[in-house]
Amino acid sequence: MIDRLVIIGVGLIGGSLARALRRSGAVGEIVGVGRSAANLEAAVELGVVDRFEFDAAEAVRGADMVVVAVTLGASAAILETIGPALDENTFVTDVGSTKLSVVASARAALGARFPNFVPGHPIAGTERSGVKASFAELFEDHKVILTPVSETREEALHAVVSLWRATGASVVEMEAAHHDQVLAATSHLPHLLAYTLVDMLAAAKDSSEMFEFAAGGFRDFTRIASSNPEMWRDIILANREAVLQMCEMYADRFETLRRAIEAGDGAAIEVIFERAKLVRDRSVVSPHPSKRPAEHAVLPLKRGDGDQ
């Protein structure tokens, strides 16, 4: 039970976390922190948070758990702000899509409180943003990656593991550098491809016709290009070394395919497609569609079999 939870950044992720923890009975008071009065007022009206503060340092005083759910570009400043105000036994975690940069910022900002910090990343989300897009089921049957370091207190790690399991997520641990490499390939590069394709077609002189006749495949592939541009700018820059490596690997593979098309080599094209289909069908599991309900109903908590 978290008696007092502070969520800094009450958007899709922060709001959904608050909803999930309230539904499971794992939290008492929830305090939201942010810059937008309209978004915070909506969070109170929706019952996502009990009250809100604009001053992050004031909000975290006396908290049991603090979740930093702001964009990566704002994380360092938030950690610097709350560092001096944290109690000795206040645990802190985050939801950032890269971990090496956040670990470095936390180590510099939190000082003696750094062992209470547990870097985290829920592998869940939608292209929507803001507290009105949040829903309690977002994390069900999804993974949350935690990247504790040598200094991390066992008590802090246990508390953050319990927090995420209460949402219905399964928790895995990973080294921060490995996390950033994996996410560069599976999340950051796909977003770059989606943004680039839409931007390319938008610049074409017949772009309106192209979008008018775009079918389901185009909509599925480019859905993530509707994601928050500021957030994804920060993610790409924070993980730029790993992202650039993935870009180079992709460019090499795409050039191989381009040459096969130029040569009219159908056999080579089919080999690439067949290999990709086999791996996709065998390895990429999508066990359920989005569980976003029409209304934010209270549903029974479900925990995945992988919660060990």
Side-chain angles (χ1 to χ4, degrees), residues 229-307:
E230 178 187 0
M231 178 182 76
W232 278 97
R233 174 204 65 198
D234 291 347
I235 291 170
I236 297 305
L237 290 177
N239 200 27
R240 58 184 176 272
E241 183 175 338
V243 168
L244 286 172
Q245 291 176 352
M246 288 302 110
C247 286
E248 292 175 4
M249 290 176 62
Y250 183 84
D252 289 343
R253 289 283 182 167
F254 193 80
E255 178 59 21
T256 298
L257 178 60
R258 191 201 65 78
R259 288 198 301 266
I261 296 171
E262 184 178 52
D265 191 344
I269 295 170
E270 186 174 356
V271 165
I272 294 171
F273 289 178
E274 285 285 355
R275 185 168 60 228
K277 173 178 168 50
L278 178 63
V279 174
R280 174 62 169 76
D281 292 347
R282 183 180 60 202
S283 305
V284 181
V285 180
S286 182
H288 52 75
S290 171
K291 294 187 176 182
R292 175 171 31 203
E295 295 183 359
H296 300 297
V298 176
L299 302 177
L301 180 65
K302 290 166 48 181
R303 288 181 170 83
D305 294 336
D307 288 356

Side-chain angles (χ1 to χ4, degrees), residues 169-218:
S170 60
V171 180
V172 297
E173 293 182 30
M174 188 180 293
E175 291 186 356
H178 185 55
H179 166 279
D180 288 2
Q181 292 173 344
V182 170
L183 270 295
T186 60
S187 176
H188 306 166
L189 178 62
H191 276 80
L192 286 180
L193 298 178
Y195 280 125
T196 303
L197 177 58
V198 174
D199 188 55
M200 180 190 76
L201 296 183
K205 64 178 181 180
D206 53 351
S207 62
S208 59
E209 185 178 39
M210 290 186 180
F211 290 120
E212 179 183 356
F213 293 103
F218 178 83

Side-chain angles (χ1 to χ4, degrees), residues 65-272:
M65 177 75 70
V66 176
V67 178
V68 179
V70 298
T71 62
L72 278 171
S75 292
I78 288 294
L79 291 168
E80 289 175 1
T81 298
I82 67 174
L86 292 170
D87 289 353
E88 182 179 355
N89 292 313
T90 299
F91 300 133
V92 184
T93 188
D94 80 303
V95 300
S97 292
T98 71
K99 298 275 56 95
L100 283 175
S101 63
V102 173
V103 168
S105 295
R107 182 176 277 114
L110 301 185
R113 300 289 185 259
F114 178 65
N116 286 346
F117 177 72
V118 181
H121 179 206
I123 310 300
T126 74
E127 71 280 10
R128 300 175 66 197
S129 60
V131 70
K132 292 181 179 179
S134 65
F135 57 105
E137 300 77 21
L138 178 62
F139 309 108
E140 285 185 4
D141 302 324
H142 284 75
K143 288 182 172 60
V144 173
I145 301 174
L146 301 182
T147 62
V149 295
S150 59
E151 301 101 311
T152 306
R153 287 177 59 192
E154 284 297 324
E155 297 92 335
L157 179 59
H158 176 76
V160 174
V161 168
S162 297
L163 174 147
W164 283 113
R165 285 181 174 168
T167 70
S170 60
V171 180
V172 297
E173 293 182 30
M174 188 180 293
E175 291 186 356
H178 185 55
H179 166 279
D180 288 2
Q181 292 173 344
V182 170
L183 270 295
T186 60
S187 176
H188 306 166
L189 178 62
H191 276 80
L192 286 180
L193 298 178
Y195 280 125
T196 303
L197 177 58
V198 174
D199 188 55
M200 180 190 76
L201 296 183
K205 64 178 181 180
D206 53 351
S207 62
S208 59
E209 185 178 39
M210 290 186 180
F211 290 120
E212 179 183 356
F213 293 103
F218 178 83
R219 289 192 295 272
D220 291 344
F221 179 74
T222 61
R223 175 186 61 81
I224 53 178
S226 292
S227 301
N228 186 313
E230 178 187 0
M231 178 182 76
W232 278 97
R233 174 204 65 198
D234 291 347
I235 291 170
I236 297 305
L237 290 177
N239 200 27
R240 58 184 176 272
E241 183 175 338
V243 168
L244 286 172
Q245 291 176 352
M246 288 302 110
C247 286
E248 292 175 4
M249 290 176 62
Y250 183 84
D252 289 343
R253 289 283 182 167
F254 193 80
E255 178 59 21
T256 298
L257 178 60
R258 191 201 65 78
R259 288 198 301 266
I261 296 171
E262 184 178 52
D265 191 344
I269 295 170
E270 186 174 356
V271 165
I272 294 171

Side-chain angles (χ1 to χ4, degrees), residues 11-32:
L12 171 67
I13 300 298
S16 296
L17 176 59
R19 288 181 186 272
L21 293 175
R22 195 184 295 284
R23 182 189 63 170
S24 69
V27 68
E29 182 186 33
I30 304 177
V31 181

